[in-house]
Amino acid sequence: MAVPAAADPTRMARGPQQRLVVIGNGMATARVLETLSARAPGRYRITVFGAEPQARYNRILLSSLLAGEVAPAALTLASAADDPQRGITVIAGDPVVQIDRERRQVVSRAGVVAGYDRLLIATGSVPVRLPIPGNTLGGVVTFRSFADVDAMLARVAPGRPAVVIGGGLLGVEAAEGLRRRGMAVTLVHRAAGLLNQQLDAAAAALLAETLRGRGLQLRLSQETAALLGEGGQVRAVQLASGEILAADLVVMAVGVRPDIALAREAGLQCDRGIVVDDTLQTDDPRIQAVGECVQHRGVTFGLVAPVWEQARVCAEHLAGVGGDVFRAPETATRLKVSGIEVYSAGLFDGDTNCENLVLRAPRRGIYRRLVLRDARVVGAVLFGDTSDGSWYHQLMADNRDISDVRQRLLFGRAYCDVEA
């Protein structure tokens, strides 16, 4: 079954229209199509295959959806690029299962065949499940998709026990979301501090204190040994210490890995991710890749800022107007938990060549740590008041010499005569 051709009244007169197939219908795809639509309308007849049945949506808001702060419709990524008149066919709920590079075509699970002149792979990442006994029991879910949130909400019952494994960003957000839904939640984390990839020990301790004050139970420096079940359903979590935690629901939020299976089967160069060059091109000149599935200069990506930049560079090269190359921007992290402000950027723990500026205001619940090297800000951790986070981030990006405002820097932009 071949994919149908789409109408395209905006087709440009500069030559035969090319066929662009996109594998993946997530946030990276949305940004590529938006940019491509603006830069080269009508250059391609585009077919997009998505594994999930939903319209393209914003994964960043899944935590807010779980917590009941937004409705599902708020996650939809509406785009002018999706106007049917622009020649885009979206096939949702039907993932591509084969890339035939010799014939230059892809085949979907339902048997749809689509030929391409250019192919874009944006398969994202897949959540990791701990390789422990009981990890496939009913009620054990990951936190990556609409379906995962639906599975959690189906188990929500006020007062019933839930365990979240993993104290990173998603784990903390999942735990707080379930608590807000009324469940009795225990968060298990193998490290001594929460968000240990983003926070120093002082900020992590403040976060733990705040979460405990809200009613979350924490088990830090604890490994999960097994999940215990009855009748095929999870009933408890056994820790390596021997402690057993009751659980009607277990959420594994222990990380993700690039989804490279399809690319690897097609013979594309892969390492931890699909290997791409500075233009997001794979080792096949007709195939590019963007998003969490890629590996660029040895690095994989899980935050939005670098993915947006990848999408822009990729789209401009697809449009035939690009001279830019991808360079991963300095990234920053914000925790999406209502009422808790946490911000981290750069070298949050510094090194032996750095100095630290620290502000503590315990009564106000405020902590700031700025990491300096050679009179430049190279890292920042903010807790309780993150209003200056973007400004500190810009100082880092600009490599700005802050010598003249060093004594006032901790108090924020309003106290400094430095423009960003």
Side-chain angles (χ1 to χ4, degrees), residues 272-292:
R272 288 178 297 126
I274 304 169
V275 177
V276 296
D277 66 12
D278 292 345
T279 67
L280 286 307
Q281 183 178 290
T282 69
D283 59 333
D284 184 323
R286 292 184 178 271
I287 303 177
Q288 288 176 281
V290 295
E292 292 182 339

Side-chain angles (χ1 to χ4, degrees), residues 210-415:
T210 301
L211 293 175
R212 287 190 180 103
R214 292 185 170 197
L216 279 178
Q217 298 293 314
L218 303 180
R219 298 293 187 273
L220 303 178
S221 301
Q222 294 284 347
E223 296 277 359
T224 303
L227 306 182
L228 310 178
E230 180 181 306
Q233 301 296 311
V234 71
R235 291 290 177 260
V237 174
Q238 181 177 343
L239 303 182
S241 65
E243 182 180 8
I244 294 178
L245 307 170
D248 291 348
L249 168 67
V250 173
V251 180
M252 285 195 182
V254 292
V256 297
R257 63 175 183 271
D259 188 353
I260 62 174
L262 190 65
R264 177 168 279 157
E265 289 171 6
L268 294 173
Q269 183 183 357
C270 295
D271 186 19
R272 288 178 297 126
I274 304 169
V275 177
V276 296
D277 66 12
D278 292 345
T279 67
L280 286 307
Q281 183 178 290
T282 69
D283 59 333
D284 184 323
R286 292 184 178 271
I287 303 177
Q288 288 176 281
V290 295
E292 292 182 339
C293 63
V294 309
Q295 179 177 322
H296 173 260
R297 294 178 178 261
V299 178
T300 57
F301 305 88
L303 296 177
V304 171
V307 170
W308 276 179
E309 180 63 9
Q310 288 175 18
R312 183 191 67 80
V313 171
C314 176
E316 293 200 346
H317 282 275
L318 285 171
V321 299
D324 281 355
V325 294
F326 172 68
R327 291 290 182 267
E330 188 72 58
T331 57
T333 299
R334 288 183 187 272
L335 179 66
K336 298 181 295 297
V337 171
S338 178
I340 302 179
E341 295 190 44
V342 178
Y343 182 94
S344 172
L347 301 174
F348 67 90
D349 244 349
D351 57 34
T352 55
N353 298 316
C354 296
E355 61 176 321
N356 297 287
L357 304 181
V358 177
L359 170 68
R360 289 184 173 90
R363 292 184 180 179
R364 297 173 58 198
I366 291 175
Y367 170 82
R368 290 188 176 191
R369 178 182 181 184
L370 301 180
V371 183
L372 306 183
R373 180 193 292 149
D374 299 327
R376 268 80 176 172
V377 180
V378 296
V381 176
L382 313 179
F383 185 93
D385 178 5
T386 62
S387 57
D388 285 305
S390 297
W391 180 61
Y392 291 133
H393 189 213
Q394 193 61 52
L395 293 179
M396 281 185 266
D398 293 344
N399 197 32
R400 187 78 59 84
D401 187 318
I402 51 80
S403 299
D404 58 335
V405 295
R406 185 183 183 282
Q407 299 302 317
R408 305 189 300 277
L409 195 63
L410 274 172
F411 301 102
R413 184 174 187 176
Y415 291 85

